[in-house]
Amino acid sequence: MSRSAHPAGPRHADVLPEGHPSAPPADLNHLDRKVWASTVTRTPDGVVSVGGIEVTRLAEEFGTPAYLIDEVDFRERARAWRTAFGEDADVFYAGKAFLSRAVVRWLHEEGLNLDVCSGGELTTALSAGMPADRIAFHGNNKSVDEIETAIRAGVGRIVLDSFQEIVRVAHIAQSLGKRQRVQIRITVGVEAHTHEFIATAHEDQKFGVPLAGGQAAEAVRRALQLDGLELIGIHSHIGSQIFDMSGFEVAAHRVVGLLKDIRDEHGVELPEIDLGGGLGIAYTSADDPREPHEIAKALHEIVSRECEAAKLRTPRISVEPGRAIVGPTAFTLYEVGTIKPLENLRTYVSVDGGMSDNIRTALYDAEYSVALVSRTSEAAPMLVRVVGKHCESGDIVVKDAFLPADLAPGDLIAVPATGAYCRSMASNYNHALRPPVVAVREGEARVIVRRETEEDLLRLDVG
Ligand SMILES: *Cc1c(COP(=O)(O)O)cnc(C)c1O
C-alpha cells in the first residue's frame, strides 16, 4: 500500500493519504474509555491522571519513557474473568503478556492461575509465592532442566507439545518418582485473528500435535501408556487478538470430537479441556472487544452443547487470557523530543522510546492510539506518525493518529493499551535502557520493575 504524497496535505484533515485513520476525533482532549485503564481521567486543569496521580508528577518522579500500570484496573479485570468463569472453570493468566512479582501476587490474591513458558517465568512465579499447583508450563521446546525444575516444583500441569516431549516428560517424572499431570496441545486446523478465522490448512505451525491424520489420537495413546504421566486433558490455542467467537466454536467442536474418540477407544473420559487465550482488546476506538462474562457464557454453552451431542460428561474448562487482562491496564508515557512536518505527507513526532519498548507496531503492523496528556489543547488536529529514537526507519510506535497542531517538544504524550507484549518484548536495541513499570493505585505510585541503567548494560558485557 502506498503512503505517498497527497496533493492537499494531510495536516488538513479533509484530505488524507491512503491508509490514514478515517477522520480526526471530534475532541482530541477526550479520553475514550475503551482504550484507557479505568482510573485514567483528565483533571480539571487538563492534565491526565491515573490512580489519582497526574502524569506530569509521574514523569518527574520516574522519568520517561515509562509504563504506568493501573493496579485497580488490573485487579478488576482479573476478578471479572475469575467471576465470569465461575467455580467449574479455571482462568490461567498468560504470563508472557507481562510478568513481574507484583503481578503474580495480584493474580494470586484475585484467585487466578498462571501460565508460564520458560524457566525464567517459572522462577518469577514461584519466587512471588504462586503455589506451584496453580501453574501451567507451556512451550514447544522446554529444556530438560526446565522440565525437571517444573516437575520438582510440583506444577499443576505441563502442556505437552510434541511426541518427543511426551516421552521426555514421562521419563523425567518417573526418574523423580513422580506422576506429572499433563495436557496435550493439539492443533485443530483453525487459526483465528481479529475478525476472522480460517478453518483449513493451519496446522502448518510449530505448536502442538495436529489433529489431522490421527496424530493427536496417537499422542494420547502414547501418553496414556506412560507411568510418569497423568493425562488430564486436551489443550487448544487458536490465535490472538480475536473478537469473533466462531473460531472457538469450531475448535471446541473438534476438541470434543477427540475426547469422544478417546472415550470410545480407551474407555476414559478426560476431565479437562483448555481453550487457550487470544481474546482481543481495544487498541483504538475502532475495536469492540467482548466482555469476560459474554466470552465465558459463549464458551460454556459451546462446550456443553458439544458434549451433550457426544454423550460426554462436560469437562472442566480452562482459558488463558493474557492480553485481555493486562493489555488495557497500562499506557506508555513518552516525552516529545522533535516534531518534523513533512510537506504534503504527515508530521513525524519523535519520542524518547520506540521499538525497544513497543515492538508490536514494527512486528505485527499493530494499531495504537495516542493522546496529549500533559495539557489540553484547542488547536486543530494534525495527522502524525509517532516514532522512536532508534536507528531504524521501521521504528514506529503509532502509525497514524491525530494530535493537536500546537504539539511542542517537552509535551507528554501517552500510548494506551500497552500492558501486554510491550515490556515483555522490550529490547536493548541501540543499547536502549528498558523503561520501568510503575504501578499506580489510590494516589500512590511504586516501581514494580525498575528502569534499566547503563551499569546494567555494562554488567552483562564482561569485556
Ligand atoms: C500467547 C498464549 C496465550 C495468551 O494469549 P493472549 O493473546 O495474550 O490472550 C494463551 N495460551 C497460549 C498457549 C499462548 O501461547
Side-chain angles (χ1 to χ4, degrees):
M1 179 174 41
S2 141
R3 293 192 186 278
S4 58
H6 192 288
R11 296 194 65 194
H12 309 285
D14 50 353
V15 190
L16 296 165
E18 235 183 288
H20 60 80
S22 51
D27 176 6
L28 282 179
N29 299 314
H30 173 71
L31 299 171
D32 186 349
R33 301 274 28 116
K34 264 203 287 191
V35 298
W36 293 94
S38 64
T39 73
V40 172
T41 178
R42 225 179 249 283
T43 61
D45 60 4
V47 180
V48 168
S49 73
V50 56
I53 311 183
E54 298 188 338
V55 293
T56 40
R57 247 182 72 201
L58 292 166
E60 239 164 68
E61 186 169 349
F62 303 104
T64 55
Y67 305 101
L68 280 315
I69 184 166
D70 181 342
E71 180 180 342
V72 168
D73 191 33
F74 185 99
R75 286 178 180 271
E76 281 169 359
R77 285 176 200 277
R79 210 173 304 143
W81 277 85
R82 185 76 208 90
T83 310
F85 277 84
E87 290 309 312
D88 55 353
D90 297 300
V91 180
F92 285 76
Y93 169 79
K96 70 177 197 232
F98 173 66
L99 198 66
S100 79
R101 288 192 278 189
V103 160
V104 172
R105 282 190 287 268
W106 301 343
L107 292 164
H108 186 189
E109 286 165 15
E110 300 300 339
L112 273 74
N113 302 345
L114 179 62
D115 267 0
V116 299
C117 62
S118 72
E121 289 183 1
L122 178 61
T123 300
T124 304
L126 292 172
S127 77
M130 180 60 84
D133 63 359
R134 283 170 51 189
I135 298 175
F137 195 33
H138 275 277
N140 66 302
N141 188 18
K142 307 167 191 78
S143 72
V144 167
D145 272 356
E146 287 172 326
I147 295 168
E148 211 179 293
T149 308
I151 296 176
R152 276 187 202 279
V155 297
R157 65 171 73 148
I158 294 180
V159 182
L160 302 173
D161 197 88
S162 64
F163 283 96
Q164 273 130 12
E165 203 169 73
I166 292 170
V167 179
R168 201 171 284 160
V169 170
H171 177 76
I172 296 171
Q174 214 173 3
S175 69
L176 294 171
K178 298 227 194 184
R179 189 146 184 263
Q180 178 62 47
R181 288 160 59 86
V182 297
Q183 292 187 339
I184 296 176
R185 179 166 174 176
I186 67 167
T187 49
V188 293
V190 169
E191 188 172 275
H193 288 291
T194 62
H195 298 284
E196 48 189 67
F197 78 97
I198 304 161
T200 52
H202 276 82
E203 278 150 348
D204 187 3
Q205 56 156 310
K206 71 170 185 169
F207 292 111
V209 179
L211 188 60
Q215 293 184 74
E218 177 58 22
V220 168
R221 219 167 277 139
R222 294 189 196 178
L224 285 173
Q225 280 169 5
L226 294 165
D227 290 336
L229 305 181
E230 179 189 351
L231 181 62
I232 58 167
I234 299 296
H235 182 286
S236 154
H237 172 75
I238 57 171
S240 59
Q241 186 60 359
I242 304 166
F243 292 98
D244 178 351
M245 299 303 286
S246 52
F248 288 102
E249 190 140 7
V250 177
H253 174 74
R254 294 184 182 174
V255 170
V256 171
L258 177 62
L259 293 184
K260 181 171 179 288
D261 292 347
I262 295 168
R263 192 257 331 263
D264 294 346
E265 182 179 344
H266 306 281
V268 275
E269 291 195 24
L270 296 184
E272 294 185 15
I273 71 173
D274 189 311
L275 293 168
L279 286 315
I281 63 164
Y283 283 105
T284 74
S285 298
D287 297 324
D288 276 310
R290 302 270 186 124
E291 295 291 326
H293 67 89
E294 294 175 80
I295 295 162
K297 184 162 176 280
L299 292 182
H300 276 299
E301 277 173 10
I302 293 166
V303 173
S304 326
R305 182 172 10 97
E306 292 295 332
C307 288
E308 214 166 290
K311 297 196 166 50
L312 283 167
R313 269 194 306 275
T314 303
R316 189 173 177 87
I317 300 173
S318 50
V319 287
E320 304 173 327
R323 183 194 322 268
I325 291 176
V326 72
T329 67
F331 60 86
T332 314
L333 186 63
Y334 299 103
E335 185 178 304
V336 173
T338 65
I339 298 170
K340 191 180 288 182
L342 296 186
E343 191 92 23
N344 295 334
L345 283 167
R346 72 186 79 240
T347 296
Y348 279 77
V349 174
S350 295
V351 294
D352 47 358
M355 65 194 298
S356 54
D357 59 71
N358 186 349
I359 191 66
R360 293 191 64 258
T361 308
L363 194 57
Y364 307 122
D365 217 19
E367 304 274 353
Y368 281 94
S369 49
V370 63
L372 172 61
V373 291
S374 48
R375 61 184 174 93
T376 52
S377 165
E378 299 310 317
M382 71 172 166
L383 181 67
V384 301
R385 175 162 289 174
V386 179
V387 296
K389 57 181 291 174
H390 295 282
C391 298
E392 161 78 42
S393 54
D395 173 24
I396 297 168
V397 180
V398 184
K399 270 187 299 186
D400 287 292
F402 292 94
L403 284 171
D406 66 351
L407 191 75
D411 278 333
L412 297 177
I413 62 176
V415 175
T418 58
Y421 306 108
C422 286
R423 180 59 181 80
S424 68
M425 294 179 109
S427 79
N428 286 125
Y429 182 44
N430 295 140
H431 284 198
L433 304 171
R434 287 177 295 179
V437 182
V438 180
V440 188
R441 176 190 178 169
E442 291 164 7
E444 277 179 41
R446 108 190 131 95
V447 175
I448 60 171
V449 179
R450 74 160 166 79
R451 185 184 300 283
E452 227 164 13
T453 63
E454 289 179 350
E455 293 80 79
D456 291 329
L457 291 181
L458 291 178
R459 226 182 11 225
L460 296 179
D461 180 337
V462 294

